[in-house]
Amino acid sequence: SQQGEEDPQALSIQEGENATMNCSYKTSINNLQWYRQNSGRGLVHLILIRSNEREKHSGRLRVTLDTSKKSSSLLITASRAADTASYFCATDAALNPSMDSNYQLIWGAGTKLIIKP
Amino acid sequence: DTGVSQDPRHKITKRGQNVTFRCDPISEHNRLYWYRQTLGQGPEFLTYFQNEAQLEKSRLLSDRFSAERPKGSFSTLEIQRTEQGDSAMYLCASMRAEGTGGYTFGSGTRLTVV
């Protein structure tokens, strides 16, 4: 079951512009994580934000979390051609008997980001 | 130890054959996960180990799929009597039991069933 939904599905911007991707989810969470995946490769962990945090920074990345709206955003500032990849959000759900599992991340379908040089 | 290793990177097999994939996690990571990913989709959970114990198995996993982690180190994922619908990228990930960080993924094994 997929809980996260990324928006937009695809995004194409010019190098140097900022890129914003959004993620919505359905249940209570312990944390939310963003990953990056280059075509045909494995996923790379970018940043983790806990349910009691509202904003987190890592280099050119800024992540926000709004638990009241069950949504998160990933901002990449001053984008570079090398940022071209798919970006996924994944939620680590809070202990919940109705969930299929308490030990796995729940993933969205991703946002495909293209940075034009 | 530079990360999670998966072998092979690519596997082409005929329908009905058995295939086995291997994953070597980061040595100090207790948790090991197998995911499957098809084109344009996020990863789908298959199964999870804490040390050598298999604690979770997805309903997606039919009886043709089996995974082991016999000594709590490397893991294998076997698919018996492969079907064309099994074609996908199979991803392995590991993390510390404390779960303070994200998962570390391998580069995956791309399976093509012809």
Side-chain angles (χ1 to χ4, degrees), chain B:
Chain B
D1 193 323
T2 56
V4 178
S5 299
Q6 289 189 247
D7 181 68
R9 288 292 308 277
H10 303 277
K11 178 70 176 180
I12 300 174
T13 190
K14 290 183 179 178
R15 189 172 48 188
Q17 297 293 307
N18 300 344
V19 293
T20 300
F21 311 141
R22 176 179 170 125
C23 171
D24 287 87
I26 292 175
S27 57
E28 61 265 27
H29 285 185
N30 295 330
R31 293 184 178 178
L32 186 148
Y33 300 79
W34 284 100
Y35 283 87
R36 179 172 67 188
Q37 186 180 27
T38 53
L39 199 63
Q41 298 297 314
E44 292 179 297
F45 170 76
L46 293 179
T47 191
Y48 151 71
F49 291 85
Q50 178 142 327
N51 299 314
E52 67 275 7
Q54 187 174 18
L55 297 186
E56 290 280 344
K57 190 173 176 180
S58 167
R59 295 170 198 167
L60 294 173
L61 226 59
S62 74
D63 292 342
R64 298 183 297 105
F65 287 71
S66 62
E68 293 182 343
R69 195 183 183 195
K71 298 180 181 178
S73 56
F74 73 91
S75 176
T76 57
L77 177 69
E78 181 182 17
I79 308 174
Q80 296 181 327
R81 304 181 303 283
T82 52
E83 302 171 356
Q84 286 190 318
D86 297 331
S87 295
M89 176 78 90
Y90 289 84
L91 295 164
C92 175
S94 69
M95 70 179 291
R96 292 179 191 276
E98 296 79 16
T100 56
Y103 291 16
T104 301
F105 278 84
S107 295
T109 293
R110 180 165 294 284
L111 173 66
T112 302
V113 181
V114 297

Side-chain angles (χ1 to χ4, degrees), chain A residues 18 32 34 45-50 53-65 72-77:
Chain A
N18 295 342
L32 184 144
W34 284 92
H45 178 251
L46 295 177
I47 198 163
L48 179 153
I49 186 164
R50 300 188 189 286
E53 297 176 311
R54 292 296 167 259
E55 188 170 313
K56 207 158 181 181
H57 297 255
S58 176
R60 293 184 296 111
L61 305 180
R62 173 177 167 250
V63 168
T64 62
L65 179 65
S72 173
S73 68
L74 170 67
L75 169 67
I76 304 174
T77 60

